[in-house]
């Protein structure tokens, strides 16, 4: 498993990077970790107007993006950490539940006893801390998710209030009560320190000696969002 860490907080860059890793780095199995500036990311089969308070997001400079994968709409900010697994089909970790197991074990090593939920999500003390989604190509699988560590939950709630009358036949998000991981930790680490420990835990779990830092611009690809 190759570990790649983004040094950019630009959501456009990081979401494009996920697609680039999926479609261009075909000889590598990758765990990609990154943090985005405030944004809302909508599932590919959803209507943004039905899921997002567009007016609120515009007023607060929160961009709204659409991703490759299905699933529900999520809010990102600098207190939320994103993980993305990309693997070739037929080489281990073939089920969605398999991809969550490394995250559960890495969090356990940090004293966080998260539990897998029925919707391939993670829960802590009865509240959701991670939502996930996946996308499959002819030869590759992408499984990605969020980790609410110290997000602005008030802004999250206000951003994700769309007009349900505009949903039509599009997929609806399943709303759940959420919490921040930091709130449940004995040692309440700053986000930067937790991010570092998550990287270190990933390196130990996958026996990675060093990681690649993703920076700069991605090669031109007209298919990128």
């Amino acid at each position: 498993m190759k570990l790649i860490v983004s040094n950019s907080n630009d959501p456009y860059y990081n979401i494009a990077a996920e697609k680039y890793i999926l479609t261009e780095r075909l000889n590598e199995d990758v765990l990609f970790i990154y943090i985005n500036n405030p944004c809302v990311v909508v599932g590919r089969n959803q209507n943004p107007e039905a899921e997002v308070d567009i007016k609120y997001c515009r007023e607060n400079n929160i961009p709204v993006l659409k991703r490759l994968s299905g699933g529900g709409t999520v809010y990102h900010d600098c207190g939320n950490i994103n993980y993305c697994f990309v693997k070739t089909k037929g080489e281990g970790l073939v089920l969605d539940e398999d991809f969550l197991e490394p995250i559960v074990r890495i969090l356990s090593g940090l004293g966080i006893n998260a539990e897998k939920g029925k919707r391939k999500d993670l829960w802590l003390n009865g509240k959701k801390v991670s939502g996930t989604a996946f996308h499959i190509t002819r030869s590759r699988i992408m499984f990605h998710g969020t980790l609410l560590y110290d997000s602005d939950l008030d802004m999250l709630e206000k951003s994700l209030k769309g007009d349900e009358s505009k949903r039509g036949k599009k997929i609806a998000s399943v709303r759940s009560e959420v919490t921040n991981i930091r709130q449940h930790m004995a040692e309440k680490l700053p986000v930067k320190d937790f991010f570092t420990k998550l990287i270190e835990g990933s390196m130990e779990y996958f026996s990675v000696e060093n990681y690649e830092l993703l920076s700069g611009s991605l090669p031109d690809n007209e298919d990128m969002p």
Side-chain angles (χ1 to χ4, degrees):
M1 179 71 69
K2 177 85 171 183
L3 178 60
I4 301 178
V5 179
S6 177
N7 71 349
S8 173
N9 299 124
D10 181 348
Y12 293 98
Y13 177 83
N14 287 324
I15 290 176
E18 287 189 333
K19 183 174 182 181
Y20 180 78
I21 292 168
L22 176 70
T23 60
E24 302 298 325
R25 301 186 68 155
L26 301 179
N27 297 319
E28 295 179 316
D29 293 335
V30 172
L31 170 57
F32 177 46
I33 302 177
Y34 62 94
I35 294 176
N36 279 334
N37 287 326
C39 66
V40 171
V41 185
V42 181
R44 69 177 297 168
N45 301 312
Q46 295 188 297
N47 181 349
E49 290 184 299
E51 306 296 331
V52 184
D53 188 331
I54 303 294
K55 182 175 182 292
Y56 176 82
C57 287
R58 284 176 178 165
E59 290 173 348
N60 289 275
N61 298 313
I62 302 171
V64 179
L65 300 84
K66 183 167 279 196
R67 61 178 185 267
L68 274 177
S69 60
T73 298
V74 291
Y75 172 80
H76 293 183
D77 64 14
C78 289
N80 172 77
I81 298 168
N82 301 281
Y83 57 90
C84 174
F85 289 97
V86 178
K87 283 190 68 71
T88 299
K89 287 181 180 178
E91 297 183 1
L93 295 182
V94 291
L95 301 176
D96 298 340
E97 292 82 359
D98 295 337
F99 288 105
L100 274 176
E101 188 59 29
I103 300 300
V104 170
R105 293 195 182 186
I106 291 166
L107 291 176
S108 178
L110 298 175
I112 303 159
N113 296 315
E115 297 180 349
K116 289 184 280 187
K118 295 179 180 179
R119 295 183 177 273
K120 306 174 188 68
D121 42 19
L122 293 179
W123 294 71
L124 185 59
N125 295 339
K127 295 182 180 181
K128 188 174 176 179
V129 294
S130 177
T132 66
F134 68 95
H135 181 74
I136 300 175
T137 68
R138 183 173 299 176
S139 61
R140 304 274 276 169
I141 302 170
M142 178 176 72
F143 180 88
H144 53 184
T146 59
L147 277 178
L148 292 172
Y149 180 69
D150 194 20
S151 285
D152 186 330
L153 299 185
D154 180 62
M155 188 164 282
L156 178 153
E157 182 179 358
K158 291 176 179 176
S159 298
L160 303 185
K161 284 186 176 179
D163 182 350
E164 294 186 5
S165 68
K166 296 183 178 181
R167 178 163 293 117
K169 295 183 179 180
K170 295 294 186 178
I171 301 298
S173 296
V174 178
R175 305 297 182 187
S176 303
E177 188 174 3
V178 298
T179 188
N180 279 315
I181 292 171
R182 187 174 187 266
Q183 180 181 339
H184 303 271
M185 295 181 69
E187 183 183 2
K188 294 178 170 39
L189 300 171
V191 175
K192 183 178 179 180
D193 292 349
F194 181 79
F195 186 61
T196 299
K197 286 187 175 293
L198 188 68
I199 293 169
E200 292 171 348
S202 300
M203 292 176 67
E204 181 179 354
Y205 183 90
F206 291 106
S207 300
V208 176
E209 293 184 0
N210 52 61
Y211 61 86
E212 177 182 340
L213 189 64
L214 188 64
S215 58
S217 354
L218 293 169
D220 290 335
N221 185 329
E222 62 183 18
D223 292 329
M224 284 186 181

